[in-house]
Amino acid sequence: VPLFVALVMLFAAKAYKKGKYIYYILAAVFLGLGFYTYTSFTMMLVVLVLGLIYMIIARRKWLMQNWQKLLVSLAVFGLTVTPIVYANLKISNNALSRTSDVSFLNKDLNNGQPIKALLSSTAKTLLQYNFYGDANNRHNLSGQPYLNTFVGLMFILGIVVCVFNFKKPRYAFLLIIFASMLIPTMVSASAIPHGLRSIGTAVPVFILAGMGVNYLLFIWYKTFPVNKLARITGVTIICLLLGLTLVQSYRQYFVAWAQDEKTYKAYNEVANTIAKYLIKNNQSNVKNFIVINEYESMPIKFLTHDKGIDYSIIDNQGLSNLPIQITQKEIIIVPNDTDYEKQIEALKAKFPNGKSSDVKSDFNGKLLFTVYEVSP
């Protein structure tokens, strides 16, 4: 999403400034391709609508001069998105099911107060950059704001600069893109703040922070127009702060986040290790059973789909229904969860001659699952 948002911004800006057909076409192509990434990218349609309204008000003459190029761009965009539109309309029956599941209109999430849920989500979304971020380690170091203090302040300063220069398209569109890409998170009522749903704001956020730094330097230079030492001192301080930002970000991601137990849990260490075990111990005469729910089993299916491994996903009932008499060697894998002890006891009672072995985490040595081997 950030890649295609950036590409659309780049070529749209070039199209506006230089007026060449190639830039209109490239902007349209990348806009269309963005719809193949993630649902939040659809908010670029909001950008188009708000941007058109803005241009009608502020740059009507430009629209009149370039309407033919815009029509070509619209046609290219239409051709680019046709396959995915067809897929969603004709093939998929649940394209919007996930959206409705997490919406602030969902009665299971809003406690009968949709407006209050919307306001709460909006507030948490706006505060995620400087105060409290996504608590899911799959998206963020749990609860940490997305920006550190210096970058966060520059981000706010960048917004202020854009607000005071809103009459200029480059500032207006930056705010429009930022605000539009916040919508998927603001209209959700589940797991807020949510870094993944906000990912479309990454590009405008970084640009806004850069604008804040640029404006700070402008003010500093304006304050000391001839004092060379003061000018160099200001630049040095800002460079030092950016350097500290780099160090902090490195430590936050490659040290704190990488060594956080929640990160391994968020990326389903159990399912990933089960998949590795199956691949390493793949035998043609062995039937594998894995006691895990369908959702948690997705990494296993993905990592083993072309390995020719014979296994079945079962639940507690399936575990109880395993026949006592078996015709080939069976391996039952039981993840260490809430029912773990009961499941192991049941296996030992049904197959008293079975052999069990524990598989532990390479990260912290904790028990991940038990392999229970049964032979005819």
Side-chain angles (χ1 to χ4, degrees), residues 98-107 109-110 117 187-190:
R98 177 59 178 165
T99 303
S100 60
D101 287 344
V102 300
S103 169
F104 74 98
L105 297 175
N106 188 331
K107 294 180 180 180
L109 298 176
N110 62 28
V187 299
S188 304
S190 173

Side-chain angles (χ1 to χ4, degrees), residues 46-47 50 174-184 186 201 204:
V46 177
V47 174
L50 295 179
L174 195 56
L175 287 182
I176 288 172
I177 294 172
F178 172 65
S180 299
M181 287 300 177
L182 283 175
I183 293 175
M186 292 192 297
T201 66

Side-chain angles (χ1 to χ4, degrees), residues 274 278 287-298 300-301 311-315 318-319:
I274 289 175
L278 291 173
K287 175 68 176 177
N288 298 282
F289 296 95
I290 308 170
V291 187
I292 194 171
N293 65 57
E294 285 292 329
Y295 182 78
E296 295 294 327
S297 72
M298 289 182 182
I300 301 174
K301 294 179 180 179
Y311 73 91
S312 298
I313 303 297
I314 60 174
D315 54 16
L319 184 64

Side-chain angles (χ1 to χ4, degrees), residues 5-291:
V5 169
L7 289 171
V8 171
M9 292 174 67
L10 171 65
F11 290 111
K14 286 183 174 292
Y16 177 77
K17 290 180 180 180
K18 299 185 178 182
K20 294 182 179 180
Y21 271 101
I22 184 62
Y23 295 132
Y24 283 88
I25 292 171
L26 287 173
V29 168
F30 289 120
L31 177 64
L33 290 177
F35 283 81
Y36 295 82
T37 56
Y38 183 56
T39 312
S40 64
F41 190 87
T42 57
M43 290 302 103
M44 287 299 286
L45 292 177
V46 177
V47 174
L48 292 181
V49 173
L50 295 179
L52 181 60
I53 294 172
Y54 174 87
M55 295 301 283
I56 290 173
I57 296 172
R59 293 292 188 274
R60 188 176 304 175
K61 183 178 179 181
W62 181 88
L63 285 176
M64 295 299 293
Q65 293 173 342
N66 296 276
W67 66 270
Q68 291 177 317
K69 296 172 183 176
L70 291 172
L71 283 179
V72 171
S73 185
L74 181 61
V76 172
F77 168 70
L79 289 173
T80 308
V81 297
T82 295
I84 196 169
V85 171
Y86 174 80
N88 280 289
L89 293 178
K90 300 296 183 180
I91 300 173
S92 176
N93 295 319
N94 60 349
L96 298 177
S97 60
R98 177 59 178 165
T99 303
S100 60
D101 287 344
V102 300
S103 169
F104 74 98
L105 297 175
N106 188 331
K107 294 180 180 180
D108 294 331
L109 298 176
N110 62 28
N111 297 317
Q113 297 179 304
I115 301 301
K116 183 178 179 180
L118 176 62
L119 292 175
S120 175
S121 295
T122 301
K124 291 178 181 179
T125 299
L126 294 175
L127 295 174
Q128 65 187 345
Y129 301 99
N130 290 310
F131 292 95
Y132 187 85
D134 196 330
N136 187 343
N137 267 51
R138 197 185 307 155
H139 311 144
N140 183 44
L141 180 59
S142 184
Q144 290 296 309
Y146 301 151
L147 307 175
N148 66 22
T149 303
F150 175 64
V151 177
L153 289 174
M154 294 302 99
F155 162 64
I156 294 173
L157 181 57
I159 292 178
V160 174
V161 171
C162 284
V163 169
F164 279 95
N165 291 276
F166 195 75
K167 291 183 178 181
K168 298 179 181 179
R170 58 179 174 177
Y171 295 100
F173 272 85
L174 195 56
L175 287 182
I176 288 172
I177 294 172
F178 172 65
S180 299
M181 287 300 177
L182 283 175
I183 293 175
T185 316
M186 292 192 297
V187 299
S188 304
S190 173
I192 304 298
H194 199 287
L196 194 58
R197 294 176 202 145
S198 303
I199 194 64
T201 66
V203 176
V205 164
F206 295 146
I207 294 175
L208 287 166
M211 289 176 61
V213 172
N214 186 65
Y215 184 74
L216 191 65
L217 282 170
F218 170 76
I219 294 299
W220 187 263
Y221 276 33
K222 189 176 179 180
T223 305
F224 302 98
V226 294
N227 191 326
K228 187 175 181 180
L229 178 61
R231 290 160 70 96
I232 293 175
T233 301
V235 174
T236 302
I237 291 173
I238 289 177
C239 289
L240 178 62
L241 290 170
L242 290 174
L244 291 174
T245 294
L246 177 63
V247 173
Q248 182 192 26
S249 299
Y250 176 88
R251 292 184 59 81
Q252 185 173 354
Y253 183 79
F254 290 101
V255 180
W257 182 84
Q259 296 179 15
D260 192 339
E261 184 177 333
K262 294 179 183 177
T263 302
Y264 282 75
K265 185 176 181 180
Y267 280 91
N268 207 330
E269 182 188 12
V270 173
N272 277 273
T273 308
I274 289 175
K276 292 177 182 177
Y277 175 87
L278 291 173
I279 294 170
K280 182 179 179 180
N281 298 279
N282 186 17
Q283 300 177 45
S284 59
N285 63 334
V286 173
K287 175 68 176 177
N288 298 282
F289 296 95
I290 308 170
V291 187

